[in-house]
Amino acid sequence: MTDIVFHVGYGHFLVLAAVLFLIGMAGVLVRRNALIILMSVELMLNAANMTLIAFSRMWGDLSAHTFALIVIAVAAAEAAVGLAIVVAVFRGRRNVEVDHLTTLRH
Amino acid sequence: MDVLTPDDYSAGLHFLGLPLLAWIPLLPLLGALINLTLGRKLSRTTVHVIAVAAVAAAAGIAFYVVFGPMFDLYKHDYGGVGISQSPFVWIKIGGFTAEMRFRLDTLSAVMILIVTFIGTLIHIYSTGYMAHDPRFAAFFGYLNLFTGAMLILVLGANLPVMFIGWEGVGLCSFLLIGFWFENEDFATAGRKAFVVNRIGDFCFLLGMFLLYWATKDLAGSKDASLDFFLLKSAPAQQTYMQSFWGGERLAAAAGIFLFIGACGKSAQLPLYVWLPDAMAGPTPVSALIHAATMVTAGVYMVCRMSFLFATSTTALIVVSTVGLLTAMVAAFMALAQQDLKKVLAYSTVSQLGFMFVAAGTGNWTAAIFHLGTHAFFKACLFLGAGSVMHGMEHGGSHTPGDIMTMGGLRKHMPITRVTFMISCLAIAGIFPFSGFFSKDEILGGAFHIHPPGWPVWYGKILWGGLLVAALGTAFYMWRLYFLVFGGEERSEPAKKAHESPLSMTLPLVVLATFATIIGFIGFPHFKSFETPAPMHALASWLEPSVAHEWYEGAGKPAEPIGEASLAEVKACDNRNAKDVCALPGGEGEGVCDVAEPGAKPACSEPGDTGLIGLLILALGIGGLGIGLAWSMYGAGRGGPSRTVQELTEGPLHDVYEASKHKLWVDEIYDAVFVKPFRALARGLFEIVDRFVIDTVAVTGVAFVIGLFGRMSRWFQNGQVQRYLVGLVVGAAAVFLVTDCHTKPTFSYERQPGGTIHLHAQVAGLMRATSVVKWDLDDDGQPDPGVTGIDLVKRADEVAGEVTMWIDDPVDGKTDKVTRTIDLSEDN
């Protein structure tokens, strides 16, 4: 039992990543605020990054780091664009609840 | 000059590419088509012209064909073959072929003459009677349709074609009885007719199937066809004799089934109940359908199938007994009716009973004879009744059929009165009117003819019963006459009544004329042709088309034809020749006259005096009935006399009530059949319709679908997040399902050179840092230095149990696999 606590192995990283991913996923699925959803997406992306890095360490293969770096770059771009949209929407509507943004639905 | 054969005529008689016989029913059907589709757009006159012309043209063709070619054929002994034409093949299934074949022999010739001639007159009459009805086009369309269906019925050369007409007249009957369907009672009467007829029709079908079953292998190379010629052939007769149920012949079963069909159509016990109610229809309909033509379809069918009925004494007894009971019961019911048309309706039922007694005694020609005469006088009576009611209605009566409010109409409606009187004389059987000849032929036949196995006294019972019915007939008809035309007017409308227009009185006069003279075709001395035996004109005309011998049991000889029987035949001969008076022609013509061997002359030596005695008795019975009616209803100022009142309130009260309430048959049927059926229908409605179909099937399906809808609506709400949930759940499910937790193991393989190749099979991927260890010497510890996924060892090194370890240094896990290597066989 104590082994789990003191002997930190790959499993710990993977579990942490999974937890982060699930928190992010729950946020995406449950919350209606676009800002929170974007934050949750970031959480999921970083969970994925963490998995990549953990496996990279496990296999002793550094090539996974490139994926992680690309993901971070893309996430930054996505956050910039996404936040811009959110801000624009908020300016127009004073409201960024996604279930109210139904103009394009039909 | 060469004699034209039936084949020549069948091939030659065409008009516009269609066989002439097909035109006879086709013309009224065309008229019906026009009037029913375009009739509402056409003027009243146009509709009248189309309807009358269609039937009149059919009548013209019928007269031409019968008196031209058919007569010619008859003279050359082809009367039974006749003309047979088929426009097309109707049904062809497997080994069964039914052509749309029409055949004109002497029997159907009589029928088409009656149907088209009386039909034409009634169409003419209807133009006057229905002059004020708004739905005249539909009415004439139905009338035409009816005539066409009836003509198909009588011209059909096989049972299926006959069945078209059979159903067609049933349909038209329903349409015309319920013609004024705004009145709920009238519509009910129409439905009643239809339902009761269906019962008969069902049995007709059963009989037809039975005959198909019996004769399906008889046609040789050709298909079975249910053609009357095939059914009549000698091999078919043999199959009818085979025993069927309980020692009875097949003919008995088939005959009784067909006869039940005839009971429905011809209003015999126990299926007669629709006919009195059928008076709800317009009066010309009552005349055309319920007196002259449709109801005679059953009689015609029995005569058409005479070869079948002649094979089974049982069937004949059933037919004659039912006929007798019907004749008597209906005559009794007619005694106390207060409605003009109801009396006539029961009279029709009763007269149809007479015809079936004739048919049941094998006296086919008498049945057809009475059918013909009855068609004329009953049509005349009904049309007269219509004329009376027309007059009463114009006089302001609201119950134009109530004979108690009439009386004295002879002053206002002279033509109607005379024609009505003639018809009443005819139906009462008074010489020289037509009913006298035909009814006496039936009575005489019942008295003398004895089918094989038929108790001698039974004919006497039939005869006695018919005499009673005839007495009743004379009484109620003349009661009717005196109440309507005799004495003084008993109501205001009766005083104001007036004679009907020419279009109505003209048919009356024509029909009354025929009702007077038509009987003479049954006059024995009216011998126009040379025939082997002395017969009257109608009998010798019909003789080729109906059975004229009894079919005894197969192989069993008929009663010996000896000197005595021949002498008997001769005696009949002489008697007929020298008897001046009109013989009751039925005393065995058809049987007595047959001279072929195998026939059984069943004429029970009626002496001249006996015959004349019978005749006078029948005449006296008719006179007695009329006299009774006169004394009770005609004497004095007319109307029911004091005697009637005393009798109906005193000793005869119960009898009177029984007659007035028609023996409560309708009530009994209601309690025994209608109510239980309604209860059953109600129960089925509640259980099957309401619960199974409505609740379970309809509402239940809707509920389940709605449930799924509500469930799926949760997913399909248009929000991306909801869909994402589905995605996530689906992905999780995929992971769960494809979970590949295979256990690690290793395989071994014998190689050339006596070595063994061991190969570790790691579940999934193996980490680079993992180490595979082996224990080959079976000491439970990894052998030092023996590592690697693949090992090649000598066989003797690895015998026995081998254990493999996979050590994972990263998460410290070790998988251990032990296998026993058996070198005796490859794996």
Side-chain angles (χ1 to χ4, degrees):
Chain A
M1 191 62 209
T2 51
D3 200 37
I4 293 176
V5 179
F6 294 107
H7 186 100
V8 177
Y10 298 115
H12 291 75
F13 291 94
L14 293 177
V15 168
L16 175 63
V19 169
L20 280 178
F21 187 86
L22 286 177
I23 290 171
M25 192 170 75
V28 169
L29 294 181
V30 173
R31 299 303 293 264
R32 294 285 180 268
N33 191 308
L35 204 59
I36 306 281
I37 290 174
L38 277 179
M39 287 164 64
S40 303
V41 168
E42 290 299 320
L43 218 49
M44 289 162 76
L45 285 170
N46 284 312
N49 280 344
M50 181 172 276
T51 323
L52 283 169
I53 300 301
F55 282 127
S56 171
R57 174 85 177 87
M58 200 165 108
W59 291 105
D61 185 346
L62 286 179
S63 56
H65 287 67
T66 53
F67 287 114
L69 285 170
I70 290 170
V71 169
I72 288 169
V74 169
E78 173 251 324
V81 175
L83 284 173
I85 293 172
V86 168
V87 169
V89 168
F90 186 77
R91 282 201 181 135
R93 301 183 167 235
R94 317 303 297 170
N95 182 347
V96 286
E97 302 284 301
V98 286
D99 48 356
H100 291 180
L101 304 177
T102 57
T103 319
L104 283 175
R105 186 186 274 180
H106 296 295
Chain B
M1 193 186 114
D2 286 343
V3 177
L4 284 172
T5 65
D7 290 341
D8 297 334
Y9 277 121
S10 303
L13 288 174
H14 278 71
F15 178 68
L16 292 181
L18 265 184
L20 206 53
L21 288 186
W23 279 103
I24 298 177
L26 189 61
L27 280 168
L29 291 178
L30 283 177
L33 184 71
I34 296 172
N35 275 342
L36 287 177
T37 50
L38 307 172
R40 270 185 291 183
K41 303 245 163 61
L42 301 174
S43 74
R44 209 173 265 271
T45 324
T46 320
V47 168
H48 289 169
V49 168
I50 291 171
V52 174
V55 184
I61 299 177
F63 272 77
Y64 164 69
V65 178
V66 172
F67 289 108
M70 192 61 221
F71 200 75
D72 195 38
L73 286 176
Y74 171 74
K75 276 193 294 188
H76 294 101
D77 275 346
Y78 287 121
V81 183
I83 305 165
S84 171
Q85 295 180 316
S86 167
F88 58 91
V89 174
W90 176 32
I91 301 175
K92 189 163 174 56
I93 306 170
F96 178 75
T97 302
E99 286 181 65
M100 185 55 90
R101 181 170 284 281
F102 300 110
R103 180 174 297 126
L104 186 75
D105 62 0
T106 50
L107 178 58
S108 48
V110 172
M111 291 303 290
I112 62 168
L113 290 185
I114 294 174
V115 171
T116 55
F117 182 64
I118 296 188
T120 310
L121 289 178
I122 288 171
H123 276 72
I124 294 171
Y125 177 92
S126 302
T127 60
Y129 190 85
M130 300 299 279
H132 307 293
D133 198 282
R135 287 173 59 231
F136 58 94
F139 180 81
F140 282 100
Y142 293 158
L143 272 194
N144 272 348
L145 185 63
F146 168 78
T147 316
M150 188 69 198
L151 288 169
I152 291 179
L153 195 163
V154 295
L155 282 175
N158 52 42
L159 275 171
V161 173
M162 186 190 225
F163 194 65
I164 303 175
W166 192 267
E167 290 293 303
V169 293
L171 169 71
C172 293
S173 177
F174 161 75
L175 291 171
L176 286 166
I177 294 169
F179 184 71
W180 289 315
F181 53 77
E182 296 89 349
N183 182 326
E184 182 59 36
D185 287 346
F186 292 0
T188 310
R191 282 199 298 275
K192 186 174 179 182
F194 199 71
V195 170
V196 174
N197 263 300
R198 298 302 315 164
I199 300 170
D201 296 346
F202 178 67
C203 290
F204 186 97
L205 272 180
L206 288 183
M208 197 155 101
F209 295 157
L210 196 55
L211 286 180
Y212 168 71
W213 177 78
T215 61
K216 61 180 186 296
D217 299 325
L218 289 180
S221 59
K222 282 193 275 180
D223 285 347
S225 62
L226 283 175
D227 191 283
F228 293 123
F229 270 11
L230 180 69
L231 297 179
K232 203 154 87 169
S233 61
Q237 295 289 352
Q238 288 302 316
T239 66
Y240 302 150
M241 303 226 191
Q242 65 180 283
S243 84
F244 198 57
W245 284 323
E248 278 300 337
R249 289 174 186 172
L250 190 139
I256 289 170
F257 274 134
L258 289 176
F259 176 63
I260 296 174
C263 279
K265 197 74 35 187
S266 287
Q268 296 297 291
L269 282 177
L271 300 177
Y272 74 94
V273 286
W274 64 272
L275 186 65
D277 285 14
M279 297 302 124
T283 304
V285 172
S286 310
L288 177 62
I289 298 186
H290 308 126
T293 51
M294 167 185 160
V295 290
T296 61
V299 182
Y300 166 76
M301 190 270 287
V302 172
C303 290
R304 170 59 73 202
M305 304 299 287
S306 56
F307 51 86
L308 177 73
F309 284 89
T311 319
S312 166
T313 311
T314 312
L316 285 178
I317 288 189
V318 170
V319 172
S320 55
T321 309
V322 169
L324 175 69
L325 288 177
T326 310
M328 294 178 70
V329 167
F332 175 69
M333 289 175 182
L335 293 177
Q337 295 304 312
Q338 310 234 332
D339 185 273
L340 179 50
K341 284 171 74 181
K342 278 274 161 72
V343 179
L344 295 178
Y346 281 107
S347 150
T348 305
V349 177
S350 174
Q351 296 301 310
L352 289 165
F354 273 80
M355 296 175 211
F356 275 110
V357 172
T361 47
N363 204 354
W364 321 108
T365 54
I368 295 294
F369 187 21
H370 196 55
L371 186 160
T373 59
H374 174 260
F376 283 103
F377 60 69
K378 189 50 68 67
C380 183
L381 283 170
F382 262 111
L383 296 187
S387 174
V388 167
M389 288 163 70
H390 194 75
M392 289 293 284
E393 223 164 314
H394 279 250
S397 171
H398 297 294
T399 52
D402 186 359
I403 52 179
M404 289 306 162
T405 63
M406 297 178 187
L409 289 178
R410 68 184 180 284
K411 298 173 225 164
H412 311 289
M413 315 181 87
I415 303 176
T416 308
R417 177 245 181 156
V418 171
T419 57
F420 205 91
M421 188 167 73
I422 289 172
S423 302
C424 281
L425 283 169
I427 199 172
I430 302 300
F431 183 82
F433 299 96
S434 57
F436 167 78
F437 297 96
S438 55
K439 201 181 275 186
D440 278 352
E441 194 165 321
I442 293 174
L443 287 169
F447 195 81
H448 290 302
I449 300 178
H450 304 296
W454 180 293
V456 175
W457 47 265
Y458 194 70
K460 308 292 183 280
I461 290 184
L462 290 176
W463 174 78
L466 286 186
L467 268 191
V468 175
L471 174 66
T473 307
F475 176 77
Y476 66 70
M477 285 313 297
W478 281 86
R479 165 183 176 268
L480 182 69
Y481 173 80
F482 288 127
L483 282 176
V484 173
F485 295 101
E488 302 295 323
E489 296 93 336
R490 288 188 297 278
S491 71
E492 278 306 306
K495 283 179 187 151
K496 290 189 210 147
H498 62 80
E499 186 57 282
S500 302
L502 183 66
S503 62
M504 290 167 73
T505 50
L506 186 70
L508 284 178
V509 173
V510 176
L511 285 171
T513 313
F514 275 93
T516 312
I517 61 170
I518 198 78
F520 284 93
I521 61 166
F523 202 81
H525 288 175
F526 245 66
K527 264 202 303 176
S528 40
F529 328 106
E530 279 309 311
T531 48
M535 277 184 267
H536 61 65
L538 185 71
S540 51
W541 171 259
L542 286 175
E543 200 257 339
S545 299
V546 293
H548 43 75
E549 52 186 275
W550 308 117
Y551 297 97
E552 274 293 71
K556 182 175 151 230
E559 289 225 338
I561 307 284
E563 287 294 314
S565 346
L566 284 177
E568 216 170 65
V569 174
K570 276 197 189 117
C572 291
D573 201 294
N574 293 338
R575 184 196 62 232
N576 272 353
K578 73 176 177 223
D579 194 351
V580 193
C581 183
L583 284 168
E587 92 298 327
E589 47 72 24
V591 179
C592 186
D593 305 324
V594 177
E596 300 100 317
K600 180 191 177 193
C603 180
S604 56
E605 72 273 348
D608 290 356
T609 45
L611 279 165
I612 294 171
L614 283 183
L615 208 75
I616 292 174
L617 187 59
L619 205 56
I621 287 282
L624 178 65
I626 298 174
L628 268 177
W630 184 80
S631 71
M632 286 187 177
Y633 293 96
R637 298 186 67 246
S641 64
R642 188 177 301 252
T643 334
V644 175
Q645 271 181 3
E646 281 166 7
L647 283 176
T648 52
E649 283 161 17
L652 291 180
H653 179 259
D654 291 343
V655 180
Y656 177 75
E657 287 295 311
S659 170
K660 193 173 173 183
H661 292 102
K662 310 148 197 166
L663 289 174
W664 296 279
V665 169
D666 277 338
E667 285 78 4
I668 293 169
Y669 279 10
D670 194 51
V672 178
F673 297 111
V674 180
K675 288 235 169 70
F677 261 80
R678 288 219 170 158
L680 184 67
R682 180 100 219 149
L684 286 176
F685 167 70
E686 291 292 346
I687 295 169
V688 177
D689 276 52
R690 277 274 168 83
F691 181 71
V692 177
I693 293 176
D694 285 4
T695 310
V696 176
V698 178
T699 322
V701 167
F703 175 77
V704 171
I705 290 171
L707 195 67
F708 277 107
R710 277 198 297 282
M711 283 160 63
S712 47
R713 201 180 312 148
W714 190 83
F715 297 104
Q716 301 281 333
N717 70 342
Q719 283 185 13
V720 182
Q721 286 163 310
R722 242 353 120 60
Y723 298 113
L724 268 179
V725 172
L727 195 93
V728 168
V729 171
V734 168
F735 280 124
L736 273 179
V737 170
T738 58
D739 174 26
C740 47
H741 275 137
T742 47
K743 290 238 159 31
T745 181
F746 63 89
S747 64
Y748 61 92
E749 190 182 0
R750 203 199 286 250
Q751 285 188 325
T755 55
I756 298 285
H757 176 210
L758 295 160
H759 175 72
Q761 290 168 333
V762 190
L765 293 168
M766 198 176 73
R767 291 174 191 148
T769 49
S770 293
V771 179
V772 180
K773 298 174 182 165
W774 300 88
D775 170 26
L776 301 175
D777 50 11
D778 203 9
D779 62 353
Q781 297 297 320
D783 296 351
V786 184
T787 56
I789 293 174
D790 289 295
L791 279 182
V792 178
K793 292 287 177 189
R794 290 200 315 279
D796 57 337
E797 284 184 288
V798 295
E801 284 199 336
V802 172
T803 310
M804 180 193 76
W805 288 265
I806 299 174
D807 276 352
D808 189 341
V810 173
D811 57 15
K813 214 172 89 179
T814 301
D815 286 316
K816 180 183 172 190
V817 182
T818 304
R819 285 189 72 182
T820 304
I821 293 179
D822 182 3
L823 289 175
S824 61
E825 59 183 56
D826 286 343
N827 73 327

